[in-house]
Amino acid sequence: MAGVKLAGVSKVFGNTTAVARTDLEIKDGEFLVLVGPSGCGKSTTLRMIAGLETPTEGDIYIGDRKVTNLEPKDRDIAMVFQNYALYPHMKVFDNMAFGLRLRKVPRQEIEARVKEAAEILGIAHLLDRFPKQLSGGQRQRVALGRAIVRHPQVFLMDEPLSNLDAKLRVQTRAELIKLHQRLKTTVIYVTHDQTEAMTMGTRIVVMKDGVVQQVGTPKEIYNNPVNIFVAGFIGSPPMNFIKGIIENTNGKLLFKAKGITLPLPATDMAVPSNTEVILGIRPESLAIVNGENNGTQSISCEVEVVENIGSETIIHARTQGKEEVVIKASGFDKAPQMGMVMKVKASQGNMHLFDAQSGTCLITFAILA
Amino acid sequence: MFRRRFSLGWTLSVWGTVIVILGWSLFPIYWMLVTSLKTNMDVFKVPPDFWPLKPTLENYTALTTGISPIGRFFFNSLITALLTVLITIVLATLAGYALSRLKFRFRDQILVSVLVTQMFPLVVMLAPLYLLYVKAHLLNTYTGMVIAFTSFALPFGIWMIKGFIDSVPVEIEQAAMVDGCSRLKAMWTVVLPLTIPGIVATGIFAFLDAWNNLLFPLTLTNDIMMKTLPAGMVLAFTGQFKHDWSGMMAASFITTLPVLILFVLLQRYLVEGLTGGAVKG
């Protein structure tokens, strides 16, 4: 097992910068998730660590070894690909044993390791089959098995669950977490699915346009996003954003938008009056207020769509300023009807003020109920 | 399992089409066999006999006892065709892999220029090639013939194998490299086994190209002992005053046999896809 370090690594394809100068330190045994939209550079970063792409500049270290110019085979890593990439002309056993045979591991040990991995993954009965005889989920397990038999220093996983159906994805996600807890090997995992990132990662790296936006634990990223992109990307449904201005009267901050006046908690930070900002508030931080309890802190909005998904209800509404607001409420007994005008209020969690120009987070307030 | 039911009319028309196509393809072979079992007198009979009334093997025995060295022609054909297959497969595989997987300057231009060589008619090149061969002392040599055959089989082979390698997902090769292979080893252990149908098809094409080629051996050899079967047979069975059709058909039948055997043995590789299950389909 070993940590991984990226020192000033970048990758340029022609005129396109896939990964801008990146410094990243992944601790030994950590489960680090690279997350971001398509084309953000997360897979390129992973492929550079694997040795399948050469960095344009910068260095990569696995443990204390500089591996920047080493071939993939010499890096002591194992990789799981999005589309499984099994060897179709080899049986499952041979697929899993392939890497060990290349490393001249004795036959008995190969058999023992393949059997152990197959049992962990529940594919011991499939060892005599060819990949084309397996289902998608089974193939993905074989791909995982091929990686774990090697006992590598680092596991690299490139969207390994994205080809599985929703149910299998949730199941395999839990199995991967268990597997990591059991093996304690460093994992670098690429996904575009923020739920996977939040549930699996000990730390998350959010990327956009080849640039790392924020690195932190799932909790840090969720509660204290550094900018509007991270705030909007992490969390489902995404955070609500309302454009407005700040009024600062003797240190008392007031957020104002069309039809909305929200007093904000006291802060040490000096925000001049009339600063254009974007207020960010998560759907689960908003609650519907009753008619008699509609003080100045509530936001009036019209219900457009109501999605009942069993344990919770997602309400899409529009403010007087025509901004869309999503509210996540538990249960659906008291769900409002479409077309109804209702009032909502920030009731728990955090509120964020972002600079309207740069998108940087200016202040994060804890909501006082 | 759901099985589609077809109407009687549809089934009959499908079978009718199959029989017509089979007849179209197999009748020349049948006629070659039948003619080889007739005497030269019977060959010119009108109307022709569709089955030899007095079958004879004298045309086959004449092949071994006659003055033309048919056995030598056969050997020459075999040696030049096999060498052409070997060299074409090795070169086409390496070139096809490079053109499919590696990124380098002028790759597309090279690929097109390979194809352009196929566009010249063979006849146009015979005279200059003959003059070149005289200077290079390649006339009447196996080397000379193999070079000529290979030069014609190779462009097609490169395109064919490149196409097959293109269809092998690059991730499989990358997985092999992460597992511990060098690029060359990944190509050998993972890519090549998956391109066997392409390699076999290229081999068959190169074999047929060399085996059936008439103009190269006719032009580039003047020693009768260096002729291959097609050129040798033209000289042995036809001339200004003779046309030994039944003898030629016997020799043709013997010539066709190795090609038939080759097809029967290798046809399963041509129809079988090997990449099933490699990646998510």
Side-chain angles (χ1 to χ4, degrees):
Chain A
M1 288 189 291
V4 177
K5 189 176 151 192
L6 273 66
V9 170
S10 69
K11 180 70 187 176
V12 180
F13 295 107
N15 297 324
T16 313
T17 303
V19 178
R21 205 179 147 76
T22 298
D23 294 293
L24 200 59
E25 203 152 334
I26 301 135
K27 294 182 207 97
D28 186 7
E30 192 174 12
F31 196 123
L32 185 99
V33 180
L34 300 173
V35 68
S38 296
C40 71
K42 55 190 189 298
S43 284
T44 308
T45 305
L46 192 81
R47 290 169 61 80
M48 285 194 286
I49 298 170
L52 299 172
E53 301 284 355
T54 313
T56 308
E57 60 175 344
D59 283 313
I60 298 169
Y61 298 84
I62 295 178
D64 297 328
R65 273 193 321 151
K66 185 172 151 185
V67 299
T68 318
N69 296 312
L70 289 186
E71 281 197 56
K73 70 185 174 74
D74 301 321
R75 296 190 180 204
D76 200 7
I77 44 137
M79 188 159 171
V80 181
F81 291 82
Q82 182 178 0
N83 56 9
Y84 322 133
L86 299 178
Y87 312 125
H89 55 305
M90 296 181 198
K91 288 184 175 174
V92 169
F93 181 92
D94 299 314
N95 261 281
M96 290 168 73
F98 185 69
L100 298 176
R101 285 186 184 135
L102 287 169
R103 283 173 173 74
K104 309 259 188 274
V105 175
R107 220 178 70 186
Q108 278 99 347
E109 197 184 332
I110 292 178
E111 278 179 17
R113 281 211 224 171
V114 170
K115 211 175 149 194
E116 187 196 358
E119 264 160 28
I120 291 172
L121 295 162
I123 50 170
H125 60 295
L126 304 173
L127 292 175
D128 265 343
R129 294 200 195 164
F130 282 100
K132 66 181 170 193
Q133 296 169 304
L134 307 179
S135 69
Q138 289 169 332
R139 285 181 204 173
Q140 194 53 279
R141 280 157 194 268
V142 176
L144 280 170
R146 187 172 64 182
I148 66 175
V149 290
R150 294 250 321 276
H151 298 174
Q153 288 198 309
V154 183
F155 284 122
L156 305 176
M157 301 193 185
D158 191 2
E159 308 209 26
L161 308 184
S162 60
N163 278 336
L164 303 180
D165 62 56
K167 194 177 165 192
L168 202 55
R169 198 181 311 155
V170 174
Q171 193 186 329
T172 316
R173 199 166 71 197
E175 280 170 13
L176 273 176
I177 296 169
K178 275 192 266 174
L179 200 66
H180 175 246
Q181 283 165 352
R182 181 176 177 159
L183 302 173
K184 303 210 182 312
T185 309
T186 313
V187 177
I188 305 175
Y189 186 103
V190 162
T191 182
H192 63 265
D193 181 341
Q194 60 88 31
T195 313
E196 267 176 38
M198 291 294 286
T199 51
M200 299 174 89
T202 44
R203 275 196 310 158
I204 298 175
V205 178
V206 185
M207 293 184 76
K208 185 197 171 201
D209 299 335
V211 179
V212 171
Q213 304 290 310
Q214 188 172 0
V215 184
T217 63
K219 196 174 166 188
E220 281 166 3
I221 297 220
Y222 189 79
N223 289 331
N224 296 296
V226 294
N227 59 32
I228 204 160
F229 172 78
V230 176
F233 191 79
I234 299 291
S236 177
M239 186 183 279
N240 295 301
F241 297 113
I242 302 167
K243 272 188 184 170
I245 55 161
I246 287 289
E247 268 190 13
N248 189 340
T249 319
N250 301 327
K252 280 190 175 175
L253 297 182
L254 211 59
F255 172 79
K256 280 194 164 182
K258 193 175 178 188
I260 303 169
T261 306
L262 282 181
L264 301 173
T267 173
D268 295 341
M269 195 169 164
V271 182
S273 268
N274 293 323
T275 305
E276 284 190 4
V277 292
I278 295 168
L279 177 77
I281 184 159
R282 295 210 177 269
E284 56 273 29
S285 296
L286 289 171
I288 303 166
V289 290
N290 298 324
E292 63 272 16
N293 186 17
N294 53 0
T296 52
Q297 293 180 24
S298 60
I299 303 168
S300 177
C301 48
E302 187 184 339
V303 178
E304 288 187 333
V305 177
V306 179
E307 297 172 328
N308 292 321
I309 48 172
S311 60
E312 55 200 23
T313 304
I314 311 290
I315 303 152
H316 298 257
R318 204 159 285 278
T319 65
Q320 288 174 8
K322 302 293 174 203
E323 306 250 26
E324 195 190 354
V325 174
V326 178
I327 302 112
K328 190 164 152 185
S330 58
F332 48 73
D333 292 341
K334 292 174 188 168
Q337 301 297 309
M338 275 186 268
M340 193 178 124
V341 175
M342 63 172 188
K343 294 210 168 185
V344 293
K345 183 184 169 185
S347 62
Q348 58 179 327
N350 289 344
M351 251 190 315
H352 315 269
L353 280 185
F354 300 98
D355 184 282
Q357 265 74 47
S358 66
T360 314
C361 186
L362 300 171
I363 317 167
T364 295
F365 304 102
I367 297 166
L368 303 169
Chain B
M1 237 240 313
F2 176 75
R3 195 187 162 115
R4 194 174 163 184
R5 293 175 72 107
F6 295 102
S7 68
L8 184 66
W10 172 258
T11 310
L12 284 176
S13 58
V14 167
W15 276 103
T17 312
V18 168
I19 287 166
V20 168
I21 292 172
L22 271 179
W24 180 270
S25 310
L26 294 180
F27 184 76
I29 296 171
Y30 168 76
W31 197 242
M32 182 167 66
L33 179 65
V34 166
T35 310
S36 72
L37 297 173
K38 293 177 182 173
T39 61
N40 261 323
M41 290 291 285
D42 290 339
V43 168
F44 291 100
K45 238 167 104 174
V46 179
D49 295 329
F50 283 90
W51 178 251
L53 299 175
K54 285 179 270 177
T56 171
L57 289 175
E58 68 181 39
N59 295 312
Y60 288 93
T61 50
L63 289 179
T64 52
T65 55
I67 52 159
S68 298
I70 300 289
R72 175 74 191 192
F73 296 159
F74 191 89
F75 177 77
N76 292 344
S77 277
L78 199 66
I79 201 98
T80 50
L82 289 180
L83 281 172
T84 304
V85 169
L86 191 72
I87 295 169
T88 303
I89 285 179
V90 171
L91 294 183
T93 305
L94 292 173
Y97 180 86
L99 289 164
S100 171
R101 288 289 198 252
L102 308 182
K103 289 173 191 161
F104 51 90
R105 279 165 73 97
F106 306 120
R107 186 178 70 162
D108 293 345
Q109 288 85 339
I110 290 171
L111 207 50
V112 173
S113 67
V114 165
L115 198 64
V116 166
T117 59
Q118 291 289 74
M119 293 173 186
F120 294 102
L122 190 124
V123 183
V124 173
M125 296 210 260
L126 282 175
L129 205 59
Y130 179 82
L131 294 174
L132 269 175
Y133 269 45
V134 171
K135 282 189 181 169
H137 304 288
L138 286 171
L139 285 184
N140 294 316
T141 61
Y142 288 142
T143 315
M145 269 192 290
V146 170
I147 289 173
F149 294 154
T150 306
S151 67
F152 263 70
L154 198 54
F156 175 82
I158 290 172
W159 270 82
M160 181 99 138
I161 291 183
K162 181 201 171 286
F164 271 84
I165 292 175
D166 282 345
S167 70
V168 176
V170 73
E171 289 87 352
I172 297 182
E173 203 178 337
Q174 291 174 341
M177 290 202 261
V178 170
D179 261 351
C181 289
S182 62
R183 181 178 276 280
L184 211 60
K185 182 128 188 165
M187 176 190 161
W188 182 253
T189 53
V190 175
V191 180
L192 288 193
L194 300 178
T195 44
I196 283 174
I199 293 171
V200 169
T202 303
I204 289 177
F205 173 81
F207 187 87
L208 289 180
D209 193 55
W211 189 260
N212 293 332
N213 200 305
L214 173 68
L215 289 179
F216 278 144
L218 210 56
T219 319
L220 303 178
T221 58
N222 43 33
D223 178 355
I224 188 77
M225 297 306 280
M226 288 306 291
K227 299 283 180 200
T228 57
L229 273 169
M233 275 157 51
V234 167
L235 295 176
F237 297 106
T238 64
Q240 196 174 358
F241 302 109
K242 66 164 185 179
H243 287 287
D244 179 7
W245 287 116
S246 51
M248 186 178 247
M249 287 303 116
S252 298
F253 189 72
I254 298 288
T255 310
T256 311
L257 274 182
V259 181
L260 271 179
I261 293 167
L262 196 72
F263 264 109
V264 169
L265 288 180
L266 300 179
Q267 58 93 19
R268 76 182 176 95
Y269 290 104
L270 294 175
V271 295
E272 198 175 69
L274 286 180
T275 52
V279 295
K280 169 86 176 171

